[in-house]
Coordinates of all heavy atoms in Angstrom, one line a residue:
M1 N -35.8 -5.8 57.4 CA -35.1 -7.0 57.8 C -33.7 -7.0 57.1 O -33.6 -6.7 55.9 CB -35.9 -8.3 57.4 CG -35.3 -9.6 57.9 SD -36.3 -11.0 57.5 CE -37.7 -10.7 58.7
M2 N -32.7 -7.4 57.8 CA -31.3 -7.5 57.3 C -31.2 -8.6 56.2 O -31.8 -9.6 56.4 CB -30.3 -7.8 58.4 CG -30.1 -6.6 59.3 SD -29.2 -5.2 58.5 CE -27.6 -6.0 58.4
E3 N -30.5 -8.3 55.2 CA -30.2 -9.3 54.2 C -28.8 -9.6 54.2 O -27.9 -8.7 54.4 CB -30.6 -8.8 52.8 CG -32.1 -8.6 52.6 CD -32.4 -8.3 51.1 OE1 -31.7 -7.5 50.5 OE2 -33.4 -8.8 50.6
N4 N -28.5 -10.8 53.9 CA -27.1 -11.2 53.8 C -26.8 -11.4 52.3 O -27.4 -12.3 51.6 CB -26.8 -12.6 54.5 CG -26.9 -12.4 56.0 OD1 -26.4 -11.4 56.5 ND2 -27.4 -13.4 56.6
K5 N -25.9 -10.6 51.8 CA -25.5 -10.7 50.4 C -24.4 -11.8 50.2 O -23.4 -11.7 50.8 CB -25.0 -9.4 49.8 CG -24.7 -9.6 48.3 CD -24.3 -8.3 47.6 CE -24.2 -8.5 46.2 NZ -23.1 -7.9 45.5
L6 N -24.7 -12.8 49.4 CA -23.8 -13.9 49.2 C -23.7 -14.1 47.7 O -24.4 -13.4 46.9 CB -24.4 -15.1 49.9 CG -24.6 -15.0 51.4 CD1 -25.5 -16.0 51.9 CD2 -23.2 -15.1 52.1
D7 N -23.0 -15.1 47.3 CA -23.1 -15.5 45.8 C -24.1 -16.6 45.6 O -24.6 -17.2 46.6 CB -21.7 -15.7 45.2 CG -21.1 -17.0 45.6 OD1 -21.8 -18.0 46.0 OD2 -19.9 -17.1 45.6
G8 N -24.4 -16.9 44.4 CA -25.4 -17.9 44.1 C -25.1 -19.3 44.6 O -26.1 -20.0 44.8
N9 N -23.9 -19.6 44.9 CA -23.6 -20.9 45.5 C -24.3 -21.1 46.8 O -24.6 -22.2 47.2 CB -22.1 -21.1 45.6 CG -21.4 -21.2 44.3 OD1 -21.8 -22.0 43.4 ND2 -20.4 -20.4 44.0
A10 N -24.5 -20.0 47.5 CA -25.2 -20.0 48.8 C -26.6 -20.5 48.7 O -27.2 -21.0 49.6 CB -25.1 -18.7 49.5
A11 N -27.2 -20.3 47.5 CA -28.6 -20.7 47.3 C -28.7 -22.1 46.8 O -29.8 -22.6 46.6 CB -29.2 -19.7 46.3
A12 N -27.5 -22.8 46.6 CA -27.5 -24.1 46.0 C -28.4 -25.1 46.8 O -29.1 -25.9 46.2 CB -26.1 -24.6 45.9
G13 N -28.3 -25.0 48.1 CA -29.1 -26.0 48.9 C -30.6 -25.9 48.7 O -31.3 -26.9 48.4
T14 N -31.1 -24.7 48.7 CA -32.5 -24.4 48.4 C -32.9 -24.9 47.0 O -33.9 -25.5 46.8 CB -32.8 -22.9 48.6 OG1 -32.5 -22.6 49.9 CG2 -34.3 -22.7 48.4
L15 N -32.1 -24.5 46.0 CA -32.4 -24.8 44.6 C -32.3 -26.3 44.4 O -33.1 -26.9 43.6 CB -31.4 -24.1 43.7 CG -31.6 -22.6 43.7 CD1 -30.4 -21.9 42.8 CD2 -32.9 -22.1 43.1
Q16 N -31.4 -27.0 45.1 CA -31.3 -28.4 45.0 C -32.5 -29.2 45.5 O -32.7 -30.3 45.1 CB -30.0 -28.9 45.7 CG -29.2 -29.9 45.0 CD -28.7 -29.4 43.6 OE1 -27.9 -28.5 43.6 NE2 -29.2 -30.0 42.5
E17 N -33.2 -28.5 46.4 CA -34.4 -29.2 47.0 C -35.5 -29.1 45.9 O -36.5 -29.9 46.0 CB -34.8 -28.5 48.2 CG -33.9 -28.7 49.4 CD -34.2 -27.7 50.6 OE1 -35.4 -27.3 50.6 OE2 -33.3 -27.5 51.4
I18 N -35.4 -28.2 45.0 CA -36.5 -28.0 44.0 C -36.2 -28.7 42.6 O -37.0 -29.3 42.0 CB -36.8 -26.5 43.8 CG1 -37.1 -25.9 45.1 CG2 -37.9 -26.3 42.8 CD1 -37.2 -24.4 45.1
F19 N -34.9 -28.4 42.2 CA -34.5 -28.9 40.8 C -33.6 -30.1 40.9 O -32.7 -30.1 41.7 CB -33.8 -27.7 40.1 CG -34.6 -26.5 39.8 CD1 -34.6 -25.4 40.7 CD2 -35.4 -26.4 38.7 CE1 -35.3 -24.3 40.5 CE2 -36.2 -25.3 38.5 CZ -36.1 -24.2 39.4
P20 N -33.8 -31.0 40.0 CA -33.0 -32.2 40.0 C -31.7 -32.0 39.2 O -31.1 -32.9 38.7 CB -33.9 -33.3 39.3 CG -34.7 -32.5 38.3 CD -34.9 -31.1 39.0
F21 N -31.3 -30.7 39.0 CA -30.1 -30.4 38.2 C -29.1 -29.7 39.2 O -29.5 -29.2 40.2 CB -30.4 -29.5 37.1 CG -31.7 -29.7 36.4 CD1 -32.7 -28.8 36.5 CD2 -31.8 -30.8 35.5 CE1 -33.9 -29.1 35.9 CE2 -33.0 -31.0 34.9 CZ -34.1 -30.2 35.0
E22 N -27.9 -29.6 38.7 CA -26.9 -28.8 39.4 C -27.1 -27.4 39.1 O -26.6 -26.9 38.1 CB -25.5 -29.3 39.1 CG -24.4 -28.5 39.8 CD -24.6 -28.3 41.3 OE1 -24.6 -29.3 42.0 OE2 -24.7 -27.1 41.7
M23 N -28.0 -26.7 39.8 CA -28.4 -25.4 39.4 C -27.4 -24.3 39.5 O -27.5 -23.3 38.8 CB -29.6 -25.0 40.3 CG -30.9 -25.7 39.9 SD -31.5 -25.2 38.2 CE -32.2 -23.6 38.6
T24 N -26.3 -24.5 40.3 CA -25.3 -23.4 40.3 C -24.6 -23.3 39.0 O -24.0 -22.3 38.7 CB -24.3 -23.6 41.5 OG1 -23.7 -24.9 41.3 CG2 -25.0 -23.5 42.8
L25 N -24.6 -24.4 38.2 CA -23.9 -24.5 36.9 C -24.9 -24.1 35.8 O -24.5 -24.0 34.6 CB -23.3 -25.8 36.7 CG -22.2 -26.2 37.7 CD1 -21.7 -27.6 37.4 CD2 -21.1 -25.2 37.7
A26 N -26.2 -24.0 36.1 CA -27.2 -23.6 35.1 C -26.9 -22.1 34.8 O -26.5 -21.3 35.6 CB -28.6 -23.8 35.6
Q27 N -27.2 -21.7 33.6 CA -27.0 -20.3 33.2 C -28.4 -19.6 33.0 O -29.3 -20.1 32.4 CB -26.3 -20.2 31.8 CG -24.9 -20.7 31.9 CD -24.1 -20.6 30.6 OE1 -24.6 -21.0 29.6 NE2 -23.0 -19.9 30.7
A28 N -28.5 -18.5 33.7 CA -29.7 -17.7 33.6 C -29.5 -16.4 32.8 O -28.5 -15.7 33.0 CB -30.2 -17.3 35.0
T29 N -30.4 -16.1 31.8 CA -30.4 -14.9 31.1 C -31.3 -13.9 31.7 O -32.5 -14.2 31.9 CB -30.7 -15.1 29.6 OG1 -29.8 -16.1 29.1 CG2 -30.7 -13.8 28.8
C30 N -30.8 -12.8 32.1 CA -31.6 -11.7 32.8 C -32.6 -11.1 31.8 O -32.3 -10.7 30.7 CB -30.6 -10.7 33.3 SG -31.5 -9.2 34.0
A31 N -33.9 -11.1 32.3 CA -34.9 -10.4 31.5 C -34.8 -8.9 31.4 O -35.3 -8.3 30.5 CB -36.3 -10.8 32.0
G32 N -34.0 -8.4 32.3 CA -33.8 -6.9 32.4 C -32.8 -6.4 31.4 O -33.0 -5.5 30.6
C33 N -31.6 -7.0 31.4 CA -30.5 -6.5 30.7 C -29.9 -7.5 29.7 O -29.0 -7.2 28.9 CB -29.4 -6.0 31.6 SG -28.4 -7.3 32.4
G34 N -30.3 -8.8 29.7 CA -29.9 -9.8 28.8 C -28.6 -10.4 29.1 O -28.1 -11.3 28.4
A35 N -28.0 -10.1 30.3 CA -26.7 -10.7 30.7 C -27.0 -12.2 31.0 O -28.0 -12.5 31.6 CB -26.2 -10.0 32.0
T36 N -26.0 -13.0 30.7 CA -26.1 -14.4 31.0 C -25.0 -14.8 31.9 O -23.8 -14.5 31.6 CB -26.1 -15.3 29.7 OG1 -27.2 -14.9 28.9 CG2 -26.2 -16.8 30.0
D37 N -25.3 -15.4 33.1 CA -24.3 -15.8 34.0 C -24.7 -17.2 34.6 O -25.9 -17.5 34.7 CB -24.3 -14.8 35.2 CG -23.5 -13.6 34.8 OD1 -22.3 -13.6 34.6 OD2 -24.2 -12.5 34.8
V38 N -23.8 -17.9 35.1 CA -24.1 -19.1 35.8 C -24.7 -18.7 37.2 O -24.3 -17.7 37.7 CB -22.9 -20.1 36.0 CG1 -22.4 -20.7 34.7 CG2 -21.8 -19.4 36.8
I39 N -25.6 -19.5 37.6 CA -26.4 -19.1 38.9 C -25.4 -18.9 40.0 O -25.5 -18.1 40.9 CB -27.5 -20.0 39.1 CG1 -28.6 -19.7 38.1 CG2 -28.0 -19.9 40.5 CD1 -29.8 -20.6 38.1
G40 N -24.4 -19.8 40.0 CA -23.4 -19.7 41.1 C -22.6 -18.4 41.2 O -22.1 -18.0 42.2
A41 N -22.7 -17.6 40.1 CA -21.9 -16.3 40.0 C -22.9 -15.1 40.3 O -22.4 -14.0 40.3 CB -21.3 -16.2 38.7
L42 N -24.2 -15.4 40.5 CA -25.1 -14.3 40.7 C -25.1 -13.9 42.1 O -24.5 -14.5 43.0 CB -26.5 -14.8 40.3 CG -26.6 -15.2 38.8 CD1 -28.0 -15.8 38.6 CD2 -26.3 -14.1 37.8
A43 N -25.8 -12.8 42.4 CA -25.8 -12.2 43.7 C -27.1 -12.9 44.4 O -28.2 -12.8 43.9 CB -26.0 -10.7 43.7
A44 N -26.9 -13.5 45.6 CA -27.9 -14.1 46.3 C -28.1 -13.4 47.6 O -27.2 -13.1 48.3 CB -27.7 -15.6 46.5
Y45 N -29.4 -13.2 48.0 CA -29.7 -12.6 49.3 C -30.5 -13.6 50.1 O -31.6 -13.9 49.6 CB -30.5 -11.3 49.1 CG -29.7 -10.2 48.3 CD1 -29.6 -10.3 46.9 CD2 -29.0 -9.2 49.0 CE1 -28.9 -9.3 46.2 CE2 -28.2 -8.3 48.3 CZ -28.2 -8.4 46.9 OH -27.5 -7.4 46.2
M46 N -30.0 -14.0 51.2 CA -30.7 -15.0 52.0 C -31.3 -14.2 53.2 O -30.6 -13.5 53.9 CB -29.8 -16.1 52.5 CG -28.7 -16.5 51.5 SD -29.3 -17.6 50.3 CE -29.5 -19.1 51.3
H47 N -32.6 -14.5 53.5 CA -33.2 -13.9 54.7 C -34.3 -14.8 55.1 O -34.5 -15.8 54.5 CB -33.6 -12.5 54.4 CG -34.5 -12.3 53.3 ND1 -35.8 -12.6 53.3 CD2 -34.2 -11.8 52.0 CE1 -36.3 -12.3 52.1 NE2 -35.4 -11.9 51.3
G48 N -34.9 -14.4 56.2 CA -35.9 -15.3 56.9 C -37.0 -15.7 56.0 O -37.5 -16.8 56.1
M49 N -37.4 -14.9 55.0 CA -38.5 -15.2 54.2 C -38.1 -16.2 53.0 O -39.0 -16.7 52.4 CB -39.1 -14.0 53.6 CG -39.8 -13.1 54.6 SD -41.3 -13.9 55.3 CE -42.4 -13.9 53.9
G50 N -36.9 -16.2 52.7 CA -36.4 -17.1 51.6 C -35.2 -16.5 51.0 O -34.4 -15.9 51.6
T51 N -35.1 -16.8 49.7 CA -33.9 -16.5 48.9 C -34.2 -15.7 47.7 O -35.2 -16.0 47.0 CB -33.2 -17.8 48.5 OG1 -32.9 -18.6 49.6 CG2 -31.9 -17.6 47.7
V52 N -33.4 -14.6 47.5 CA -33.6 -13.8 46.3 C -32.3 -13.8 45.6 O -31.2 -13.5 46.1 CB -34.0 -12.4 46.7 CG1 -34.1 -11.5 45.4 CG2 -35.4 -12.3 47.4
I53 N -32.4 -14.1 44.3 CA -31.2 -14.1 43.4 C -31.3 -12.9 42.4 O -32.3 -12.8 41.7 CB -31.0 -15.4 42.7 CG1 -30.8 -16.5 43.7 CG2 -29.8 -15.4 41.7 CD1 -30.7 -17.9 43.1
R54 N -30.3 -12.1 42.4 CA -30.4 -10.9 41.6 C -29.3 -10.9 40.5 O -28.2 -11.5 40.7 CB -30.2 -9.6 42.4 CG -31.3 -9.3 43.3 CD -31.0 -8.0 44.1 NE -32.1 -7.6 45.0 CZ -33.2 -6.9 44.6 NH1 -33.2 -6.4 43.4 NH2 -34.1 -6.6 45.5
C55 N -29.6 -10.2 39.4 CA -28.6 -10.0 38.4 C -27.5 -9.0 38.9 O -27.8 -8.0 39.4 CB -29.3 -9.3 37.2 SG -28.1 -8.9 35.8
P56 N -26.2 -9.5 38.8 CA -25.1 -8.6 39.2 C -24.9 -7.4 38.3 O -24.3 -6.4 38.8 CB -23.9 -9.5 39.2 CG -24.2 -10.6 38.2 CD -25.7 -10.7 38.3
S57 N -25.5 -7.4 37.1 CA -25.3 -6.3 36.2 C -26.3 -5.2 36.4 O -26.0 -4.0 36.5 CB -25.3 -6.8 34.8 OG -24.4 -7.7 34.5
C58 N -27.6 -5.5 36.6 CA -28.6 -4.5 36.6 C -29.5 -4.6 37.9 O -30.4 -3.8 38.0 CB -29.5 -4.6 35.4 SG -30.6 -6.0 35.3
D59 N -29.3 -5.6 38.7 CA -30.0 -5.8 40.0 C -31.4 -6.3 39.8 O -32.2 -6.3 40.8 CB -30.0 -4.4 40.8 CG -29.8 -4.7 42.3 OD1 -29.2 -5.7 42.6 OD2 -30.4 -3.9 43.1
T60 N -31.8 -6.7 38.6 CA -33.2 -7.3 38.5 C -33.3 -8.5 39.3 O -32.3 -9.3 39.4 CB -33.4 -7.6 37.0 OG1 -33.5 -6.4 36.2 CG2 -34.6 -8.5 36.8
V61 N -34.4 -8.8 39.9 CA -34.6 -10.0 40.7 C -34.9 -11.1 39.7 O -35.8 -11.1 38.9 CB -35.9 -9.9 41.6 CG1 -36.2 -11.2 42.3 CG2 -35.6 -8.8 42.7
L62 N -34.0 -12.1 39.7 CA -34.1 -13.2 38.7 C -34.9 -14.3 39.3 O -35.8 -14.8 38.6 CB -32.7 -13.7 38.3 CG -31.7 -12.7 37.7 CD1 -30.4 -13.4 37.5 CD2 -32.3 -12.2 36.4
I63 N -34.6 -14.7 40.5 CA -35.3 -15.9 41.1 C -35.6 -15.5 42.5 O -34.8 -15.0 43.2 CB -34.4 -17.1 41.1 CG1 -34.0 -17.5 39.6 CG2 -35.1 -18.3 41.8 CD1 -33.0 -18.6 39.5
R64 N -36.8 -15.8 42.9 CA -37.2 -15.6 44.3 C -37.8 -17.0 44.8 O -38.7 -17.5 44.1 CB -38.3 -14.5 44.4 CG -38.6 -14.0 45.8 CD -39.8 -13.1 45.8 NE -39.9 -12.3 44.6 CZ -39.8 -11.0 44.5 NH1 -39.5 -10.3 45.5 NH2 -39.9 -10.4 43.3
V65 N -37.3 -17.5 45.9 CA -37.8 -18.7 46.4 C -38.2 -18.5 47.9 O -37.5 -18.0 48.7 CB -36.7 -19.9 46.4 CG1 -37.3 -21.2 46.9 CG2 -36.1 -20.0 45.0
V66 N -39.4 -18.9 48.2 CA -39.9 -18.8 49.5 C -40.5 -20.2 49.9 O -41.2 -20.8 49.1 CB -41.1 -17.7 49.7 CG1 -41.7 -17.8 51.1 CG2 -40.5 -16.3 49.4
Q67 N -40.2 -20.6 51.1 CA -40.7 -21.9 51.5 C -41.7 -21.5 52.7 O -41.3 -21.0 53.7 CB -39.7 -22.9 52.0 CG -40.3 -24.2 52.4 CD -39.2 -25.2 52.9 OE1 -38.1 -24.8 53.1 NE2 -39.6 -26.4 53.1
A68 N -43.0 -21.8 52.5 CA -44.0 -21.5 53.5 C -45.1 -22.4 53.3 O -45.5 -22.9 52.2 CB -44.4 -20.1 53.4
K69 N -45.8 -22.7 54.4 CA -47.0 -23.5 54.4 C -46.8 -24.9 53.7 O -47.7 -25.3 52.9 CB -48.2 -22.8 53.8 CG -48.5 -21.5 54.6 CD -49.5 -20.7 53.9 CE -49.7 -19.3 54.6 NZ -50.6 -18.4 53.8
G70 N -45.6 -25.5 53.8 CA -45.4 -26.8 53.3 C -45.2 -26.8 51.8 O -45.3 -27.8 51.1
R71 N -45.0 -25.6 51.2 CA -44.7 -25.6 49.7 C -43.7 -24.5 49.4 O -43.4 -23.7 50.2 CB -46.0 -25.4 48.9 CG -46.8 -24.3 49.3 CD -48.1 -24.2 48.5 NE -49.0 -25.3 48.7 CZ -50.0 -25.6 47.9 NH1 -50.2 -25.0 46.7 NH2 -50.9 -26.6 48.2
Y72 N -43.1 -24.7 48.2 CA -42.2 -23.7 47.7 C -42.9 -22.8 46.8 O -43.7 -23.2 46.0 CB -41.0 -24.4 46.9 CG -40.0 -25.1 47.7 CD1 -40.0 -26.5 47.8 CD2 -39.1 -24.4 48.5 CE1 -39.1 -27.2 48.6 CE2 -38.2 -25.1 49.3 CZ -38.2 -26.5 49.3 OH -37.3 -27.1 50.1
W73 N -42.6 -21.5 46.9 CA -43.1 -20.5 46.0 C -41.9 -20.0 45.2 O -41.0 -19.4 45.7 CB -43.7 -19.3 46.8 CG -44.7 -19.8 47.8 CD1 -44.5 -20.5 49.0 CD2 -46.2 -19.7 47.7 NE1 -45.7 -20.8 49.6 CE2 -46.7 -20.3 48.8 CE3 -47.0 -19.2 46.7 CZ2 -48.1 -20.4 49.0 CZ3 -48.4 -19.2 46.9 CH2 -48.9 -19.8 48.1
L74 N -42.0 -20.3 43.9 CA -40.9 -20.0 43.0 C -41.3 -18.9 42.0 O -42.1 -19.2 41.2 CB -40.4 -21.3 42.3 CG -39.2 -21.3 41.4 CD1 -38.0 -20.9 42.2 CD2 -39.1 -22.6 40.7
D75 N -40.6 -17.8 42.1 CA -40.9 -16.7 41.2 C -39.7 -16.5 40.3 O -38.6 -16.2 40.8 CB -41.2 -15.4 42.0 CG -41.4 -14.2 41.1 OD1 -41.1 -14.2 39.9 OD2 -41.8 -13.2 41.7
M76 N -39.8 -16.8 39.0 CA -38.7 -16.7 38.1 C -38.9 -15.7 36.9 O -38.4 -15.9 35.8 CB -38.3 -18.1 37.5 CG -37.9 -19.1 38.6 SD -37.4 -20.7 37.9 CE -35.9 -20.2 37.0
R77 N -39.7 -14.7 37.2 CA -40.1 -13.8 36.1 C -38.9 -13.0 35.6 O -39.0 -12.5 34.5 CB -41.2 -12.9 36.6 CG -40.7 -11.7 37.4 CD -41.8 -10.8 37.9 NE -42.3 -11.4 39.2 CZ -43.2 -10.7 39.9 NH1 -43.7 -9.6 39.6 NH2 -43.6 -11.2 41.1
G78 N -37.8 -12.9 36.3 CA -36.7 -12.2 35.9 C -35.7 -13.0 35.0 O -34.7 -12.4 34.5
V79 N -36.0 -14.3 34.8 CA -35.2 -15.1 34.0 C -35.8 -15.3 32.6 O -36.9 -15.8 32.5 CB -35.0 -16.5 34.6 CG1 -34.1 -17.4 33.7 CG2 -34.3 -16.4 36.0
R80 N -35.1 -14.8 31.6 CA -35.7 -14.9 30.3 C -35.4 -16.3 29.7 O -36.3 -16.9 29.1 CB -35.0 -13.9 29.3 CG -35.6 -13.8 28.0 CD -34.8 -12.9 27.0 NE -34.8 -11.6 27.5 CZ -33.9 -10.7 27.1 NH1 -32.9 -11.0 26.3 NH2 -34.0 -9.4 27.6
V81 N -34.2 -16.8 29.9 CA -33.9 -18.2 29.5 C -33.1 -18.8 30.6 O -32.2 -18.2 31.1 CB -33.1 -18.1 28.2 CG1 -32.6 -19.5 27.7 CG2 -33.8 -17.4 27.1
L82 N -33.3 -20.1 30.8 CA -32.5 -20.9 31.7 C -31.9 -22.0 31.0 O -32.6 -22.8 30.3 CB -33.4 -21.5 32.9 CG -32.7 -22.2 34.0 CD1 -31.9 -21.2 34.8 CD2 -33.8 -22.8 34.9
Q83 N -30.6 -22.0 31.0 CA -29.8 -23.1 30.2 C -29.3 -24.1 31.3 O -28.6 -23.7 32.2 CB -28.6 -22.5 29.5 CG -29.0 -21.5 28.4 CD -27.7 -20.9 27.8 OE1 -26.8 -21.6 27.5 NE2 -27.6 -19.6 27.7
I84 N -29.7 -25.4 31.1 CA -29.3 -26.4 32.0 C -28.5 -27.4 31.2 O -29.0 -28.0 30.2 CB -30.6 -27.1 32.6 CG1 -31.4 -26.0 33.4 CG2 -30.2 -28.2 33.5 CD1 -32.8 -26.4 33.6
S85 N -27.3 -27.7 31.7 CA -26.5 -28.7 31.0 C -27.0 -30.1 31.4 O -27.4 -30.4 32.5 CB -25.0 -28.5 31.6 OG -24.2 -29.6 31.1
V86 N -27.0 -30.9 30.4 CA -27.4 -32.3 30.6 C -26.3 -33.2 31.1 O -26.5 -34.3 31.5 CB -28.0 -33.0 29.3 CG1 -29.3 -32.3 29.0 CG2 -27.0 -32.9 28.2
E87 N -25.0 -32.7 31.1 CA -23.9 -33.4 31.6 C -23.8 -33.1 33.1 O -24.1 -32.0 33.6 CB -22.6 -32.9 31.0 CG -22.7 -32.6 29.5 CD -22.0 -33.7 28.7 OE1 -20.9 -34.0 29.0 OE2 -22.6 -34.2 27.7
A88 N -23.5 -34.2 33.8 CA -23.4 -34.0 35.3 C -22.2 -33.1 35.7 O -21.3 -33.0 35.0 CB -23.3 -35.4 35.9
Ligands
ZN101 ZN1 -29.6 -7.8 34.4

């Protein structure tokens, strides 16, 4: 299946349905290489099954979101630390 490579801002809509924070401004630390980037700057792949967000440095899958059967399936095993600003 073809994937569309976009930046993390493209995943904002999906993430906003799950998290009550501005997730594109949250910072994720990659479990693979330790790089920390705001989610809006990460590589996002949108396809029919859902959204995959990858580390731009080492290509580790950081976040995988699938919506199916009336629920979200959120796989965040590639994120070591998620920093969320409390300021709007
Ligand atoms: Zn990485």
